Amino acid sequence: MTRASSRNIGSLTQRRKCPCGDENCYLRVDGNEEENNQSNNNSNTPTTSSVPLGSDQLQAAQVTTSFDSTVSTEIRPPYVGQAFQTAEEAQEHYTRFAKVNGFAIRTERSKGNSNHPLGVYKRELVCHRAGAYRPRKMVEQKRQRNKKSNRCKCEAGMIIKKNVSKGISRWIVVQFSNEHNHEMLDSDEVRQLPAYRNISSIDRERALVLSKAGCTVNLIMRSLEMEKGLRPGQLTFTERDLRNFLQVSKSINIENEGTELLNACKEMKERYSDFKFEFSVNSDGTLENICWTYPDCVRAYAIFGDAVVFDTTYRLYAYDRPVGVWFGMDNYGNAICFGCSLLQDEKPSSYQWALQSFVCLMDGKYPQTLLTDLDMSLKEAVMNKLPSTKHAFAPWYITSKIQSWFSPSLSPLFEKLVSEFNRVRNLSCLEEFSDQWSKMVSEFRLASDRHVNLLAYNREDWTLPFLRGCFFGCLIGGVDFPALIKGFFKGLLSSQTRLRDFVEQVRVAIELQNQAGEESTMRQNYQNMSTRTCMPMEEHAASILTPYAFNLFQQELIPSTQFAVYETHKEAYLVRHRLQPAGGQVVMCVGSDLQCSCKEFESSGILCRHALRVLSLKNCFTLPDKYLLMRWRRESSLFPKSTGYKYRSRALRSLVSIILQEASVNKERFNYAQWHMSKLLSHVREMPTLDDTGSDAGPISSVEEMVDITLPKPRGRPKKDKLVSTSTIATEESEALEENMASTHDLAGPETHQALWDTQDLA
């Protein structure tokens, strides 16, 4: 059955203490579906915030949690043709609908796998009472529970399929039925279903704090209900669930776990010299901080380590340790991980150690720009250890806190405040920003608010006028990093994950991320990079830049044709839009040196539309080499890492996937592709099977050489191992093609195919 997404994050929980410095101010964690679902189920409950509890023990766990009482419980049912960006998004929507309407869902079956060109391309979600009861075969001596099955052959369910068009994948609802043959459960009964009985990561953290303070399980339950403003029995878990969780947590020996983690790193270092790690110990010899990275990460940082995100918003709650992860972006727009760290606390000294150790692991190379959370301890650490690095607060970290800061107080005006804040934040002129900021603060009466004063005091670290000209490499607005962090650890950690396994689990996450990056790279390379103008400099850029960077370049080149140029004095030009009566940007052009007042090239590494307009005026048909940064060129690509069987297999699957998408559009394309692929297959079979050029294995990445990818052990009964043969893959591919071409019945005759073949030969 469907689990809430916080379970996917496993033993990680987001940091909730506010950066304003108030010990009693905590942040509401956005995107926690378990908490939100709970809020939806109790929307009639008055909105409450945490207040100091009666005992000193409960005061130690004081947390401010707000829920909007205006959240509507009405969720529209899915419908045929409805589109979702991911299968998980479709499943979450159906889960919310099911919970409100008194039932649960589960995944009945899926089609496709990682070896299929489209991956998993079909999923069938059904009611939890669908199907018939099938008794399990068990040893007679083993005692069995006399538990009655609740399955009654209910036919309600939803089928979703992946549809890829122009390189963009969507999941479409192709079938939906809400006809149940059983009674629906009420809100109290549906809460007891296993699919919805979960202890959220936030509740786990609170429960551990209260347990350490000496509270009983019953007292913890009552405390959590009081903090949330819930009636007894309205939590998403029972006392038994909480007792089992606390029992597992007590079995963790933090000191021994730290020693085992350190020993595991030392053993890996002895076996593989390219693996790097740094650590520090306390006065009693226990592990204090540890930071590690992998060979592929170091090589990636050497090329793309100019702009880095250091995320510290997650904690391993079972060990009460913050997790720091360094991320960047490659020349194809793929997110890449540079390293990871486990710290003792969130003090400036711990962050300073992490930053210094990271630079040491990266062979002493400092990043040009470092994006972090809004945290004064981090700011102090960067100033002390990375004085030459430009530090900035990432905008997504700030916007995620606005709801916690202002939603309860402003209520109906909150949405207007968010819209106004985003508008003011993106103003490029300092004078205009200062004026509009003052008006916004006055309009919403926030002059005395400590959070607004915190933002105003640190405006140089997050506002556009102060950050213009600092290199971010398209990190801002290019990648959804909050979703990336969740996806990075998704499914790899659970409440049973031990500290000694964390390094290995991170290695698995990085390897899966690299596989996705390589797949994306090959897909982009197979796409047509069509020029949209007749300008020679566009053709020049297309031959050098990656498809991702070339798309960014086109977004500047095409609008440049709408700009007028006025030569103000020698080698200086005023460039403004043809419909703009005043203003504009000043471009200095001395020989091949360009400098625009908008400073777009300094920020992204892509020439701005103003500079491109001046180059066009000066009859430049190719771009100066220094304005085609190495980080955006094809030759800087991290992939492919090998030329062996694994790479060839993956590259062919990507090519077949694109052919499948393009050839399934209409009957003519299908006939053409089918005929030529048949000819190609016959020709390939006639070729020799031995590789005369040398070894077929090719170089393997050092991460892959260390240890095979081992995914977490699945729950439930073990499934029989199945060997995926080429015939199985071919069968699944043909099924997918047949489903896409269900409307195609008549095929052209051999004469048509031969004509097409002859036409291709002439071409």
Side-chain angles (χ1 to χ4, degrees):
M1 295 183 182
T2 303
R3 302 288 183 185
S5 63
S6 62
R7 179 177 293 272
N8 294 334
I9 301 302
S11 56
L12 288 178
T13 180
Q14 286 185 279
R15 185 177 57 190
R16 306 179 66 244
K17 189 175 180 180
C18 183
C20 68
D22 189 341
E23 294 294 334
N24 296 322
C25 183
Y26 282 77
L27 298 171
R28 174 178 177 178
V29 178
D30 294 332
N32 191 320
E33 287 78 359
E34 291 176 0
E35 297 259 1
N36 294 337
N37 289 339
Q38 183 170 282
S39 172
N40 293 345
N41 289 343
N42 303 281
S43 59
N44 295 326
T45 304
T47 302
T48 63
S49 61
S50 178
V51 295
L53 302 178
S55 66
D56 295 338
Q57 294 173 334
L58 298 185
Q59 287 180 1
Q62 178 178 355
V63 180
T64 300
T65 306
S66 300
F67 293 104
D68 296 334
S69 59
T70 58
V71 178
S72 174
T73 60
E74 181 181 359
I75 299 179
R76 295 182 179 180
Y79 57 88
V80 175
Q82 187 174 7
F84 299 92
Q85 291 186 354
T86 63
E88 289 72 20
E89 181 184 349
Q91 192 164 340
E92 288 292 344
H93 177 76
Y94 195 19
T95 299
R96 291 193 294 268
F97 171 78
K99 187 173 184 179
V100 171
N101 288 273
F103 67 100
I105 66 170
R106 70 172 188 271
T107 301
E108 179 69 8
R109 62 178 61 89
S110 300
K111 281 191 175 183
N113 51 46
S114 58
N115 294 318
H116 192 277
L118 294 178
V120 177
Y121 61 88
K122 182 178 180 181
R123 287 185 180 178
E124 182 177 351
L125 309 174
V126 298
C127 172
H128 73 289
R129 302 194 66 178
Y133 171 66
R134 297 191 297 270
R136 297 180 178 179
K137 296 182 180 180
M138 303 181 68
V139 181
E140 295 182 359
Q141 289 79 4
K142 187 173 182 180
R143 183 176 64 87
Q144 301 185 33
R145 292 186 300 169
N146 186 17
K147 182 180 178 181
K148 184 178 179 181
S149 173
N150 61 359
R151 297 194 178 187
C152 60
K153 299 182 180 180
C154 179
E155 297 183 355
M158 179 177 75
I159 298 178
I160 55 177
K161 284 186 179 180
K162 180 187 289 187
N163 179 38
V164 183
S165 177
K166 297 181 179 179
I168 301 176
S169 62
R170 293 287 186 270
W171 285 82
I172 311 298
V173 178
V174 297
Q175 183 176 328
F176 174 71
S177 172
N178 199 33
E179 299 295 330
H180 298 265
N181 62 355
H182 55 87
E183 295 183 358
M184 299 291 101
L185 305 177
D186 58 34
S187 59
D188 292 331
E189 293 173 333
V190 77
R191 192 181 299 113
Q192 301 302 320
L193 291 175
Y196 306 125
R197 272 178 36 212
N198 297 293
I199 307 178
S200 69
S201 57
I202 297 176
D203 288 338
R204 292 173 184 172
E205 184 179 11
R206 299 177 200 163
L208 287 173
V209 174
L210 292 172
S211 178
K212 291 177 182 178
C215 297
T216 63
V217 174
N218 183 271
L219 183 57
I220 295 174
M221 293 287 292
R222 302 292 82 79
S223 301
L224 294 176
E225 290 169 349
M226 291 175 61
E227 291 175 1
K228 297 175 181 293
L230 303 177
R231 297 189 300 272
Q234 286 192 329
L235 290 171
T236 59
F237 51 91
T238 63
E239 286 192 16
R240 182 177 180 181
D241 298 330
L242 181 59
R243 185 174 288 106
N244 291 338
F245 165 71
L246 293 176
Q247 187 66 31
V248 173
S249 300
K250 289 179 180 179
S251 64
I252 297 176
N253 189 317
I254 297 180
E255 295 183 1
N256 292 342
E257 291 277 340
T259 302
E260 292 180 2
L261 170 62
L262 188 57
N263 291 335
C265 289
K266 290 179 179 179
E267 292 177 1
M268 187 173 293
K269 178 64 176 178
E270 291 177 358
R271 295 176 56 191
Y272 307 100
S273 59
D274 290 339
F275 177 79
K276 296 182 177 183
F277 74 102
E278 295 282 343
F279 69 95
S280 63
V281 296
N282 295 307
S283 57
D284 58 357
T286 58
L287 181 65
E288 182 182 27
N289 303 304
I290 187 169
C291 176
W292 69 93
T293 187
Y294 306 90
D296 287 343
C297 300
V298 177
R299 286 192 289 269
Y301 182 84
I303 306 174
F304 306 110
D306 41 19
V308 178
V309 176
F310 184 34
D311 184 275
T312 57
T313 59
Y314 283 84
R315 299 177 64 88
L316 279 174
Y317 66 83
Y319 302 92
D320 195 26
R321 282 179 174 268
V323 178
V325 187
W326 286 271
F327 287 96
M329 187 171 68
D330 68 5
N331 52 347
Y332 281 82
N334 303 315
I336 46 180
C337 178
F338 295 136
C340 190
S341 62
L342 278 175
L343 306 178
Q344 188 176 38
D345 49 45
E346 297 173 348
K347 296 180 180 179
S349 57
S350 295
Y351 288 138
Q352 290 179 25
W353 181 92
L355 294 173
Q356 187 176 13
S357 300
F358 176 73
V359 173
C360 180
L361 293 178
M362 297 300 160
D363 300 327
K365 179 181 178 180
Y366 289 80
Q368 294 183 32
T369 309
L370 184 66
L371 293 169
T372 69
D373 188 16
L374 180 61
D375 189 310
M376 297 303 105
S377 297
L378 266 172
K379 181 177 180 180
E380 178 183 344
V382 175
M383 291 176 60
N384 291 333
K385 295 299 179 181
L386 306 179
S388 61
T389 297
K390 174 59 182 177
H391 174 242
F393 297 133
W396 58 81
Y397 290 127
I398 296 177
T399 54
S400 66
K401 296 175 174 58
I402 293 180
Q403 185 173 10
S404 299
W405 288 344
F406 307 117
S407 178
S409 58
L410 293 178
S411 192
L413 298 177
F414 175 70
E415 294 298 332
K416 183 179 179 182
L417 171 64
V418 173
S419 176
E420 185 68 10
F421 177 83
N422 290 328
R423 184 188 69 84
V424 174
R425 177 175 62 85
N426 291 317
L427 294 175
S428 58
C429 178
L430 178 59
E431 292 76 12
E432 186 179 7
F433 168 81
S434 301
D435 179 64
Q436 294 298 317
W437 177 267
S438 300
K439 290 182 179 180
M440 181 187 70
V441 172
S442 176
E443 178 183 357
F444 294 96
R445 300 179 181 179
L446 299 173
S448 60
D449 187 272
R450 63 178 180 273
H451 304 110
V452 171
N453 294 331
L454 175 69
L455 292 176
Y457 181 77
N458 294 281
R459 61 186 179 275
E460 295 183 3
D461 298 318
W462 64 273
T463 57
L464 185 59
F466 291 98
L467 298 181
R468 189 172 57 179
C470 301
F471 185 78
F472 293 105
C474 298
L475 284 176
I476 298 179
V479 178
D480 185 4
F481 271 91
L484 166 67
I485 299 296
K486 276 190 175 182
F488 184 73
F489 291 105
K490 182 179 179 181
L492 297 177
L493 298 174
S494 66
S495 58
Q496 287 77 33
T497 299
R498 292 294 185 261
L499 198 60
R500 61 179 180 268
D501 302 323
F502 191 60
V503 173
E504 172 62 17
Q505 298 287 32
V506 172
R507 187 201 65 78
V508 173
I510 292 176
E511 181 62 25
L512 294 176
Q513 186 183 62
N514 289 343
Q515 290 181 6
E518 186 170 2
E519 183 76 15
S520 174
T521 298
M522 290 186 291
R523 283 179 176 270
Q524 287 191 41
N525 288 334
Y526 284 132
Q527 298 290 341
N528 291 328
M529 293 177 57
S530 57
T531 57
R532 300 170 62 181
T533 69
C534 298
M535 304 173 69
M537 69 172 65
E538 184 183 16
E539 298 179 359
H540 180 224
S543 65
I544 297 177
L545 300 177
T546 64
Y548 176 80
F550 180 67
N551 180 60
L552 297 175
F553 175 78
Q554 284 185 318
Q555 293 177 15
E556 297 295 328
L557 179 66
I558 295 173
S560 70
T561 59
Q562 300 294 319
F563 282 73
V565 183
Y566 307 92
E567 187 173 4
T568 57
H569 53 84
K570 186 178 180 180
E571 299 175 340
Y573 302 87
L574 176 64
V575 183
R576 63 171 174 238
H577 195 274
R578 61 184 181 85
L579 301 179
Q580 187 178 0
Q585 302 292 340
V586 177
V587 179
M588 300 296 298
C589 182
V590 181
S592 61
D593 294 333
L594 292 167
Q595 187 175 5
C596 182
S597 58
C598 75
K599 298 184 179 180
E600 174 64 27
F601 177 77
E602 290 81 356
S603 298
S604 65
I606 302 294
L607 274 178
C608 65
R609 58 197 64 182
H610 316 105
L612 292 173
R613 182 67 181 89
V614 172
L615 286 178
S616 178
L617 178 69
K618 297 177 75 67
N619 297 324
C620 291
F621 300 108
T622 59
L623 294 172
D625 189 69
K626 58 184 174 183
Y627 296 112
L628 295 169
L629 295 187
M630 188 61 65
R631 77 154 359 259
W632 294 127
R633 298 191 179 197
R634 293 174 181 264
E635 59 192 88
S636 302
S637 301
L638 298 174
F639 311 107
K641 296 183 294 182
S642 67
T643 58
Y645 174 81
K646 179 180 290 187
Y647 163 72
R648 296 197 296 264
S649 176
R650 194 172 297 167
L652 287 176
R653 284 199 297 267
S654 297
L655 180 59
V656 169
S657 175
I658 296 175
I659 293 176
L660 182 66
Q661 300 164 21
E662 299 292 341
S664 300
V665 173
N666 55 43
K667 178 180 177 181
E668 182 180 1
R669 287 190 175 190
F670 173 80
N671 294 340
Y672 186 84
Q674 185 188 47
W675 174 257
H676 285 287
M677 290 179 69
S678 299
K679 289 287 185 180
L680 177 63
L681 179 61
S682 300
H683 180 69
V684 169
R685 284 175 173 171
E686 295 174 356
M687 298 177 66
T689 57
L690 297 179
D691 190 353
D692 298 333
T693 60
S695 174
D696 186 49
I700 304 298
S701 70
S702 50
V703 172
E704 293 172 347
E705 290 175 348
M706 290 182 185
V707 64
D708 294 335
I709 298 176
T710 304
L711 296 178
K713 184 178 180 181
R715 297 182 178 181
R717 293 182 298 173
K719 298 181 179 180
K720 295 182 179 179
D721 295 335
K722 295 183 178 180
L723 296 177
V724 181
S725 62
T726 54
S727 59
T728 304
I729 298 175
T731 302
E732 292 181 346
E733 292 176 357
S734 62
E735 289 179 358
L737 184 59
E738 289 173 0
E739 291 173 355
N740 288 330
M741 292 298 298
S743 60
T744 303
H745 300 287
D746 300 327
L747 299 179
E751 296 79 9
T752 304
H753 295 313
Q754 187 61 48
L756 291 172
W757 180 263
D758 295 338
T759 303
Q760 180 66 20
D761 290 341
L762 291 175

